[in-house]
mmCIF file of all heavy atoms in Angstrom:
data_model
loop_
_atom_site.group_PDB
_atom_site.id
_atom_site.type_symbol
_atom_site.label_atom_id
_atom_site.label_comp_id
_atom_site.label_asym_id
_atom_site.label_seq_id
_atom_site.Cartn_x
_atom_site.Cartn_y
_atom_site.Cartn_z
ATOM 1 N N SER S 1 0.827 -1.203 0.000
ATOM 2 C CA SER S 1 0.000 0.000 0.000
ATOM 3 C C SER S 1 0.855 1.243 0.000
ATOM 4 O O SER S 1 0.581 2.213 -0.697
ATOM 5 C CB SER S 1 -0.925 0.007 1.220
ATOM 6 O OG SER S 1 -1.590 1.237 1.334
ATOM 7 N N MET S 2 1.940 1.259 0.791
ATOM 8 C CA MET S 2 2.784 2.437 0.896
ATOM 9 C C MET S 2 3.581 2.680 -0.377
ATOM 10 O O MET S 2 3.879 3.803 -0.727
ATOM 11 C CB MET S 2 3.750 2.297 2.075
ATOM 12 C CG MET S 2 3.079 2.338 3.414
ATOM 13 S SD MET S 2 2.256 3.910 3.684
ATOM 14 C CE MET S 2 3.655 5.006 3.645
ATOM 15 N N THR S 3 3.942 1.625 -1.095
ATOM 16 C CA THR S 3 4.803 1.803 -2.259
ATOM 17 C C THR S 3 4.012 1.958 -3.551
ATOM 18 O O THR S 3 4.490 2.571 -4.494
ATOM 19 C CB THR S 3 5.746 0.598 -2.414
ATOM 20 O OG1 THR S 3 4.985 -0.607 -2.466
ATOM 21 C CG2 THR S 3 6.710 0.536 -1.247
ATOM 22 N N GLU S 4 2.804 1.407 -3.614
ATOM 23 C CA GLU S 4 2.054 1.442 -4.853
ATOM 24 C C GLU S 4 0.761 2.235 -4.754
ATOM 25 O O GLU S 4 0.132 2.509 -5.767
ATOM 26 C CB GLU S 4 1.729 0.017 -5.306
ATOM 27 C CG GLU S 4 2.978 -0.834 -5.568
ATOM 28 C CD GLU S 4 2.618 -2.241 -5.991
ATOM 29 O OE1 GLU S 4 1.413 -2.503 -6.157
ATOM 30 O OE2 GLU S 4 3.519 -3.061 -6.158
ATOM 31 N N GLY S 5 0.364 2.628 -3.529
ATOM 32 C CA GLY S 5 -0.938 3.267 -3.353
ATOM 33 C C GLY S 5 -1.982 2.198 -3.154
ATOM 34 O O GLY S 5 -1.862 1.078 -3.648
ATOM 35 N N THR S 6 -3.014 2.476 -2.429
ATOM 36 C CA THR S 6 -4.008 1.463 -2.103
ATOM 37 C C THR S 6 -4.848 1.117 -3.321
ATOM 38 O O THR S 6 -5.148 1.961 -4.167
ATOM 39 C CB THR S 6 -4.941 1.964 -0.995
ATOM 40 O OG1 THR S 6 -5.547 3.170 -1.446
ATOM 41 C CG2 THR S 6 -4.171 2.226 0.287
ATOM 42 N N GLN S 7 -5.254 -0.155 -3.404
ATOM 43 C CA GLN S 7 -6.117 -0.595 -4.481
ATOM 44 C C GLN S 7 -7.461 0.108 -4.405
ATOM 45 O O GLN S 7 -8.143 0.284 -5.420
ATOM 46 C CB GLN S 7 -6.306 -2.117 -4.403
ATOM 47 C CG GLN S 7 -7.202 -2.696 -5.504
ATOM 48 C CD GLN S 7 -6.579 -2.519 -6.866
ATOM 49 O OE1 GLN S 7 -5.364 -2.384 -6.974
ATOM 50 N NE2 GLN S 7 -7.397 -2.507 -7.911
ATOM 51 N N THR S 8 -7.829 0.531 -3.211
ATOM 52 C CA THR S 8 -9.105 1.208 -3.016
ATOM 53 C C THR S 8 -9.214 2.440 -3.889
ATOM 54 O O THR S 8 -10.276 2.778 -4.378
ATOM 55 C CB THR S 8 -9.245 1.654 -1.544
ATOM 56 O OG1 THR S 8 -8.801 0.627 -0.716
ATOM 57 C CG2 THR S 8 -10.668 2.020 -1.233
ATOM 58 N N LYS S 9 -8.098 3.097 -4.085
ATOM 59 C CA LYS S 9 -8.085 4.315 -4.886
ATOM 60 C C LYS S 9 -8.649 4.042 -6.273
ATOM 61 O O LYS S 9 -9.333 4.857 -6.860
ATOM 62 C CB LYS S 9 -6.646 4.817 -4.959
ATOM 63 C CG LYS S 9 -6.478 6.089 -5.736
ATOM 64 C CD LYS S 9 -5.047 6.609 -5.659
ATOM 65 C CE LYS S 9 -4.062 5.598 -6.156
ATOM 66 N NZ LYS S 9 -2.681 6.081 -6.106
ATOM 67 N N ARG S 10 -8.355 2.845 -6.801
ATOM 68 C CA ARG S 10 -8.821 2.527 -8.144
ATOM 69 C C ARG S 10 -10.293 2.142 -8.149
ATOM 70 O O ARG S 10 -10.968 2.308 -9.136
ATOM 71 C CB ARG S 10 -7.999 1.379 -8.708
ATOM 72 C CG ARG S 10 -6.495 1.675 -8.674
ATOM 73 C CD ARG S 10 -5.952 1.948 -10.005
ATOM 74 N NE ARG S 10 -4.543 2.254 -9.944
ATOM 75 C CZ ARG S 10 -3.666 1.721 -10.767
ATOM 76 N NH1 ARG S 10 -4.044 0.835 -11.656
ATOM 77 N NH2 ARG S 10 -2.403 2.087 -10.693
ATOM 78 N N THR S 11 -10.769 1.581 -7.032
ATOM 79 C CA THR S 11 -12.142 1.095 -6.991
ATOM 80 C C THR S 11 -13.112 2.160 -6.527
ATOM 81 O O THR S 11 -14.288 1.913 -6.468
ATOM 82 C CB THR S 11 -12.247 -0.119 -6.058
ATOM 83 O OG1 THR S 11 -11.886 0.289 -4.747
ATOM 84 C CG2 THR S 11 -11.345 -1.236 -6.509
ATOM 85 N N THR S 12 -12.631 3.343 -6.200
ATOM 86 C CA THR S 12 -13.533 4.428 -5.807
ATOM 87 C C THR S 12 -13.498 5.542 -6.844
ATOM 88 O O THR S 12 -13.531 6.714 -6.533
ATOM 89 C CB THR S 12 -13.148 4.992 -4.430
ATOM 90 O OG1 THR S 12 -11.775 5.383 -4.463
ATOM 91 C CG2 THR S 12 -13.385 3.994 -3.341
ATOM 92 N N ALA S 13 -13.391 5.140 -8.095
ATOM 93 C CA ALA S 13 -13.560 6.044 -9.219
ATOM 94 C C ALA S 13 -12.452 7.068 -9.344
ATOM 95 O O ALA S 13 -12.679 8.159 -9.830
ATOM 96 C CB ALA S 13 -14.917 6.754 -9.143
ATOM 97 N N GLU S 14 -11.236 6.718 -8.949
ATOM 98 C CA GLU S 14 -10.102 7.619 -9.175
ATOM 99 C C GLU S 14 -9.323 7.140 -10.382
ATOM 100 O O GLU S 14 -9.227 5.948 -10.654
ATOM 101 C CB GLU S 14 -9.172 7.649 -7.957
ATOM 102 C CG GLU S 14 -9.747 8.426 -6.822
ATOM 103 C CD GLU S 14 -8.680 8.799 -5.837
ATOM 104 O OE1 GLU S 14 -7.493 8.872 -6.212
ATOM 105 O OE2 GLU S 14 -9.026 9.008 -4.679
ATOM 106 N N PRO S 15 -8.713 8.049 -11.130
ATOM 107 C CA PRO S 15 -7.899 7.645 -12.262
ATOM 108 C C PRO S 15 -6.679 6.858 -11.820
ATOM 109 O O PRO S 15 -6.235 6.991 -10.691
ATOM 110 C CB PRO S 15 -7.477 8.982 -12.903
ATOM 111 C CG PRO S 15 -8.092 10.063 -12.096
ATOM 112 C CD PRO S 15 -8.789 9.471 -10.930
ATOM 113 N N ALA S 16 -6.140 6.074 -12.720
ATOM 114 C CA ALA S 16 -4.930 5.314 -12.415
ATOM 115 C C ALA S 16 -3.800 6.267 -12.095
ATOM 116 O O ALA S 16 -3.725 7.379 -12.608
ATOM 117 C CB ALA S 16 -4.555 4.428 -13.605
ATOM 118 N N SER S 17 -2.854 5.790 -11.250
ATOM 119 C CA SER S 17 -1.783 6.671 -10.770
ATOM 120 C C SER S 17 -0.597 6.676 -11.729
ATOM 121 O O SER S 17 0.532 6.501 -11.341
ATOM 122 C CB SER S 17 -1.323 6.214 -9.384
ATOM 123 O OG SER S 17 -0.898 4.875 -9.437
ATOM 124 N N ASP S 18 -0.879 6.788 -13.028
ATOM 125 C CA ASP S 18 0.181 6.963 -13.997
ATOM 126 C C ASP S 18 -0.362 7.813 -15.137
ATOM 127 O O ASP S 18 -1.519 8.152 -15.186
ATOM 128 C CB ASP S 18 0.707 5.603 -14.514
ATOM 129 C CG ASP S 18 -0.409 4.695 -14.989
ATOM 130 O OD1 ASP S 18 -1.544 5.180 -15.158
ATOM 131 O OD2 ASP S 18 -0.137 3.500 -15.203
ATOM 132 N N GLY S 19 0.507 8.170 -16.065
ATOM 133 C CA GLY S 19 0.072 8.979 -17.183
ATOM 134 C C GLY S 19 0.177 10.461 -16.903
ATOM 135 O O GLY S 19 0.493 10.896 -15.809
ATOM 136 N N PRO S 20 -0.115 11.308 -17.919
ATOM 137 C CA PRO S 20 0.037 12.753 -17.788
ATOM 138 C C PRO S 20 -0.822 13.350 -16.690
ATOM 139 O O PRO S 20 -0.403 14.262 -15.985
ATOM 140 C CB PRO S 20 -0.381 13.274 -19.181
ATOM 141 C CG PRO S 20 -0.225 12.109 -20.089
ATOM 142 C CD PRO S 20 -0.509 10.897 -19.272
ATOM 143 N N GLY S 21 -2.056 12.856 -16.531
ATOM 144 C CA GLY S 21 -2.935 13.406 -15.498
ATOM 145 C C GLY S 21 -2.361 13.229 -14.114
ATOM 146 O O GLY S 21 -2.382 14.151 -13.294
ATOM 147 N N ALA S 22 -1.814 12.044 -13.842
ATOM 148 C CA ALA S 22 -1.219 11.788 -12.526
ATOM 149 C C ALA S 22 0.021 12.645 -12.320
ATOM 150 O O ALA S 22 0.267 13.143 -11.216
ATOM 151 C CB ALA S 22 -0.863 10.304 -12.397
ATOM 152 N N ALA S 23 0.822 12.823 -13.376
ATOM 153 C CA ALA S 23 2.017 13.655 -13.251
ATOM 154 C C ALA S 23 1.648 15.098 -12.940
ATOM 155 O O ALA S 23 2.274 15.755 -12.099
ATOM 156 C CB ALA S 23 2.834 13.593 -14.550
ATOM 157 N N MET S 24 0.594 15.606 -13.610
ATOM 158 C CA MET S 24 0.146 16.974 -13.346
ATOM 159 C C MET S 24 -0.347 17.110 -11.918
ATOM 160 O O MET S 24 -0.050 18.093 -11.226
ATOM 161 C CB MET S 24 -0.951 17.361 -14.339
ATOM 162 C CG MET S 24 -0.464 17.548 -15.764
ATOM 163 S SD MET S 24 -1.815 17.840 -16.913
ATOM 164 C CE MET S 24 -2.459 19.375 -16.275
ATOM 165 N N ALA S 25 -1.124 16.103 -11.458
ATOM 166 C CA ALA S 25 -1.612 16.143 -10.075
ATOM 167 C C ALA S 25 -0.457 16.090 -9.096
ATOM 168 O O ALA S 25 -0.471 16.769 -8.068
ATOM 169 C CB ALA S 25 -2.584 14.974 -9.838
ATOM 170 N N GLY S 26 0.569 15.276 -9.411
ATOM 171 C CA GLY S 26 1.720 15.185 -8.525
ATOM 172 C C GLY S 26 2.467 16.503 -8.425
ATOM 173 O O GLY S 26 2.855 16.932 -7.337
ATOM 174 N N ASN S 27 2.650 17.178 -9.570
ATOM 175 C CA ASN S 27 3.324 18.482 -9.550
ATOM 176 C C ASN S 27 2.506 19.502 -8.780
ATOM 177 O O ASN S 27 3.049 20.333 -8.047
ATOM 178 C CB ASN S 27 3.571 18.970 -10.981
ATOM 179 C CG ASN S 27 4.612 18.152 -11.705
ATOM 180 O OD1 ASN S 27 5.505 17.579 -11.084
ATOM 181 N ND2 ASN S 27 4.517 18.075 -13.029
ATOM 182 N N HIS S 28 1.200 19.451 -8.958
ATOM 183 C CA HIS S 28 0.311 20.373 -8.242
ATOM 184 C C HIS S 28 0.423 20.153 -6.732
ATOM 185 O O HIS S 28 0.543 21.108 -5.962
ATOM 186 C CB HIS S 28 -1.128 20.149 -8.707
ATOM 187 C CG HIS S 28 -2.104 21.151 -8.207
ATOM 188 N ND1 HIS S 28 -2.143 22.446 -8.668
ATOM 189 C CD2 HIS S 28 -3.072 21.060 -7.261
ATOM 190 C CE1 HIS S 28 -3.099 23.103 -8.041
ATOM 191 N NE2 HIS S 28 -3.681 22.298 -7.181
ATOM 192 N N ASN S 29 0.406 18.884 -6.321
ATOM 193 C CA ASN S 29 0.517 18.576 -4.894
ATOM 194 C C ASN S 29 1.871 18.985 -4.327
ATOM 195 O O ASN S 29 1.957 19.411 -3.177
ATOM 196 C CB ASN S 29 0.281 17.084 -4.657
ATOM 197 C CG ASN S 29 -1.194 16.738 -4.660
ATOM 198 O OD1 ASN S 29 -2.044 17.599 -4.837
ATOM 199 N ND2 ASN S 29 -1.500 15.464 -4.466
ATOM 200 N N ARG S 30 2.922 18.844 -5.122
ATOM 201 C CA ARG S 30 4.245 19.261 -4.640
ATOM 202 C C ARG S 30 4.286 20.757 -4.363
ATOM 203 O O ARG S 30 4.937 21.208 -3.407
ATOM 204 C CB ARG S 30 5.335 18.846 -5.641
ATOM 205 C CG ARG S 30 5.729 17.377 -5.523
ATOM 206 C CD ARG S 30 6.979 17.087 -6.322
ATOM 207 N NE ARG S 30 6.724 17.097 -7.750
ATOM 208 C CZ ARG S 30 6.311 16.032 -8.443
ATOM 209 N NH1 ARG S 30 6.103 14.886 -7.816
ATOM 210 N NH2 ARG S 30 6.106 16.119 -9.743
ATOM 211 N N ARG S 31 3.605 21.533 -5.201
ATOM 212 C CA ARG S 31 3.544 22.977 -4.947
ATOM 213 C C ARG S 31 2.778 23.263 -3.657
ATOM 214 O O ARG S 31 3.181 24.149 -2.885
ATOM 215 C CB ARG S 31 2.896 23.690 -6.135
ATOM 216 C CG ARG S 31 3.772 23.733 -7.375
ATOM 217 C CD ARG S 31 3.245 24.717 -8.394
ATOM 218 N NE ARG S 31 1.978 24.277 -8.985
ATOM 219 C CZ ARG S 31 1.876 23.519 -10.051
ATOM 220 N NH1 ARG S 31 2.976 23.076 -10.667
ATOM 221 N NH2 ARG S 31 0.690 23.173 -10.532
ATOM 222 N N ILE S 32 1.703 22.531 -3.445
ATOM 223 C CA ILE S 32 0.935 22.714 -2.208
ATOM 224 C C ILE S 32 1.786 22.353 -1.001
ATOM 225 O O ILE S 32 1.815 23.085 0.003
ATOM 226 C CB ILE S 32 -0.351 21.861 -2.238
ATOM 227 C CG1 ILE S 32 -1.283 22.329 -3.356
ATOM 228 C CG2 ILE S 32 -1.068 21.918 -0.889
ATOM 229 C CD1 ILE S 32 -2.503 21.456 -3.548
ATOM 230 N N VAL S 33 2.501 21.231 -1.076
ATOM 231 C CA VAL S 33 3.352 20.811 0.045
ATOM 232 C C VAL S 33 4.442 21.850 0.298
ATOM 233 O O VAL S 33 4.761 22.159 1.452
ATOM 234 C CB VAL S 33 3.952 19.423 -0.230
ATOM 235 C CG1 VAL S 33 5.022 19.078 0.810
ATOM 236 C CG2 VAL S 33 2.859 18.356 -0.206
ATOM 237 N N GLY S 34 5.023 22.410 -0.767
ATOM 238 C CA GLY S 34 6.036 23.444 -0.588
ATOM 239 C C GLY S 34 5.497 24.648 0.171
ATOM 240 O O GLY S 34 6.163 25.200 1.053
ATOM 241 N N LEU S 35 4.288 25.041 -0.146
ATOM 242 C CA LEU S 35 3.662 26.163 0.557
ATOM 243 C C LEU S 35 3.326 25.795 2.003
ATOM 244 O O LEU S 35 3.432 26.631 2.906
ATOM 245 C CB LEU S 35 2.408 26.609 -0.186
ATOM 246 C CG LEU S 35 2.669 27.296 -1.531
ATOM 247 C CD1 LEU S 35 1.386 27.416 -2.338
ATOM 248 C CD2 LEU S 35 3.284 28.680 -1.317
#
């Protein structure tokens, strides 16, 4: 769960944690964490 993310994330209508959308979300979250 800690290394791959919980399977629940996929079964509750969230996009897969790869691809351009996930990368954009990751960059967005990094900016939030920096602040």
Side-chain angles (χ1 to χ4, degrees):
S1 172
M2 291 298 297
T3 55
E4 299 179 5
T6 58
Q7 180 65 24
T8 317
K9 181 175 58 179
R10 305 253 179 134
T11 62
T12 55
E14 286 198 24
S17 57
D18 51 13
M24 290 174 63
N27 291 332
H28 189 72
N29 280 0
R30 280 191 288 273
R31 289 194 292 271
I32 296 174
V33 170
L35 290 167

